[in-house]
Amino acid sequence: MINKRRIYWICQIGGWSIYGFSNLFLLSTAKTLTLSDITGQIISTAFYILITHFLRLLVIKRNWLGNSWPILIPKVIFSTFLVGIIDYFFLLALQYSLGTLMKSDLSFETMSANVLISWTLTFIWALIYFTFHYFERYNKSLQFEATINEIELNNLKSQLNPHFIFNALNSIRALVDENPSKSKIAITQLSNILRYSLILDKKKLIPFQDELQTVKDYLALETIRFEERLKTEFQIHPDSYLYMVPPMMIQTLVENGIKHGVSNLKHGGHIKVTTEVKNNTLMVQIRNSGSYKNGVVSPNGGFGLQNTKRRLKLIYGSGASFKIANEGTNMVLTELKFPETI
């Protein structure tokens, strides 16, 4: 990890040293440099390093970084102007000790010009210092917000319903003697779902094709359990495979439709998944037999429909949408819309 204190001193010493060497270079173009010129510039550069460092300590001690800009700006202007005055009298004392002080250095015009130059230099230093910390705090704020969102997303992520796993295993066990080849296919399908669920902690979005395959494997296993009571249908637009979607989101809503719709009907029901692509938006519609009542929770009990909305908002902002409503007298329509990019 980069040592911020070391970076500060490198910039502090390096920046003012460059300024000092620049002054010597400009002075050398006008006259022959003397030992007094070089000594004076070295001492002056060291003074700038120390005085601005003292100003930094004052900023930290008074917690100016926590002030708003309207409060901070007057403080910076006043403090840097005060530094300009201190610097002017320091230069007078330095010139006097080096024997280079002239009468013109004591004139009002020269004093005003030197104070203004010193104030400008210190103000630029303060501007760079506060701007750096502003962006640093802004980046930390963004990182903190992203971390909070990531934690919330992890809490909201859909998970496999344990009851589904137990039901699937019981269905497969019944098939082992009755239809061994079909049981092998069912084991593969369950294995695919379990493997797919493991990516939840690693990926925020996955290809639509992977999500669709999980939905198909899930419905195939549920068909074994419900037999003739469950009918499934898919109508998938070819362009749907170009999109990325949150993992297990569509599967969870399909599972929700079976538990709260199809499974409660004496003669079973129908699950239909259709997709459509319009205006760079993927629309996924899930229709299931039954009726919708506000407040119905998802099959796993902890990840409800409101959490689905929240998860979409965290990932896409206002770019995605979710709604669920009754369609006709015995059908529930769940609709998701995903943007092409986020």
Side-chain angles (χ1 to χ4, degrees):
M1 187 175 182
I2 300 176
N3 191 317
K4 286 173 56 178
R5 185 176 182 84
R6 181 179 299 176
I7 291 178
Y8 163 75
W9 279 112
I10 290 175
C11 294
Q12 178 79 340
I13 296 174
W16 285 117
S17 296
I18 291 173
Y19 169 74
F21 282 119
S22 298
N23 281 342
L24 285 176
F25 174 76
L26 293 175
L27 189 60
S28 67
T29 60
K31 54 173 281 191
T32 301
L33 292 178
T34 64
L35 181 61
S36 296
D37 294 329
I38 298 174
T39 303
Q41 195 59 58
I42 291 175
I43 296 176
S44 178
T45 299
F47 176 78
Y48 272 118
I49 293 173
L50 293 176
I51 195 68
T52 51
H53 179 64
F54 174 80
L55 180 59
R56 171 180 174 269
L57 295 178
L58 178 65
V59 167
I60 295 174
K61 184 177 180 180
R62 300 289 183 178
N63 193 29
W64 286 8
L65 292 171
N67 295 151
S68 61
W69 286 107
I71 297 176
L72 179 63
I73 291 176
K75 291 182 178 181
V76 172
I77 293 175
F78 175 77
S79 60
T80 51
F81 181 75
L82 184 61
V83 169
I85 296 175
I86 295 173
D87 178 61
Y88 170 72
F89 285 106
F90 174 80
L91 289 177
L92 286 181
L94 178 62
Q95 288 177 308
Y96 178 78
S97 62
L98 293 174
T100 59
L101 182 64
M102 295 184 293
K103 188 176 181 180
S104 59
D105 293 327
L106 300 174
S107 67
F108 178 77
E109 292 79 7
T110 302
M111 179 187 74
S112 300
N114 286 335
V115 170
L116 181 61
I117 292 173
S118 181
W119 172 77
T120 302
L121 287 173
T122 312
F123 184 79
I124 292 174
W125 175 92
L127 187 64
I128 294 172
Y129 179 79
F130 283 105
T131 301
F132 171 81
H133 279 279
Y134 170 78
F135 281 107
E136 183 185 40
R137 286 193 169 195
Y138 180 71
N139 288 334
K140 284 184 178 179
S141 176
L142 290 180
Q143 291 172 4
F144 178 76
E145 184 177 349
T147 300
I148 294 299
N149 287 347
E150 193 66 29
I151 291 173
E152 187 170 357
L153 269 176
N154 288 334
N155 291 333
L156 294 175
K157 281 179 180 176
S158 304
Q159 297 175 346
L160 281 177
N161 180 7
H163 295 292
F164 157 71
I165 299 176
F166 295 144
N167 291 333
L169 289 174
N170 286 331
S171 300
I172 293 171
R173 183 179 63 181
L175 282 177
V176 171
D177 295 328
E178 180 183 334
N179 193 334
S181 60
K182 192 174 181 179
S183 68
K184 290 181 181 179
I185 295 175
I187 291 172
T188 300
Q189 291 169 335
L190 180 58
S191 175
N192 290 338
I193 294 174
L194 293 174
R195 186 185 306 110
Y196 177 74
S197 68
L198 295 177
I199 72 171
L200 285 177
D201 293 332
K202 300 178 182 177
K203 296 183 179 180
K204 186 165 60 177
L205 296 172
I206 46 91
F208 171 78
Q209 181 176 356
D210 294 345
E211 178 75 0
L212 179 63
Q213 185 57 53
T214 299
V215 172
K216 290 182 175 180
D217 287 338
Y218 166 77
L219 288 176
L221 291 171
E222 288 291 68
T223 301
I224 298 174
R225 182 163 69 100
F226 287 96
E227 297 180 338
E228 298 299 322
R229 294 179 60 227
L230 176 61
K231 303 296 182 182
T232 63
E233 183 181 354
F234 292 88
Q235 290 183 358
I236 308 301
H237 192 285
D239 291 343
S240 304
Y241 301 105
L242 301 175
Y243 286 76
M244 304 286 284
V245 297
M248 301 295 285
M249 179 170 286
I250 299 175
Q251 183 275 335
T252 299
L253 295 174
V254 168
E255 188 175 356
N256 192 76
I258 289 182
K259 178 169 183 179
H260 297 288
V262 175
S263 65
N264 293 327
L265 301 175
K266 181 178 180 181
H267 300 291
H270 189 80
I271 289 283
K272 182 179 181 180
V273 179
T274 62
T275 66
E276 189 175 352
V277 176
K278 284 185 178 180
N279 301 321
N280 297 324
T281 299
L282 169 64
M283 181 173 67
V284 179
Q285 293 183 327
I286 303 166
R287 289 178 170 84
N288 67 270
S289 303
S291 61
Y292 168 70
K293 296 180 181 179
N294 290 334
V296 171
V297 296
S298 62
N300 50 41
F303 299 90
L305 301 178
Q306 292 300 322
N307 283 11
T308 298
K309 295 179 182 179
R310 180 60 181 159
R311 190 176 166 202
L312 284 173
K313 185 172 181 60
L314 285 171
I315 298 174
Y316 297 99
S318 59
S321 66
F322 166 80
K323 66 179 181 179
I324 181 171
N326 290 312
E327 186 180 59
T329 57
N330 193 36
M331 190 66 66
V332 178
L333 171 62
T334 305
E335 185 177 276
L336 293 163
K337 289 184 179 180
F338 302 102
E340 185 175 19
T341 57
I342 61 171

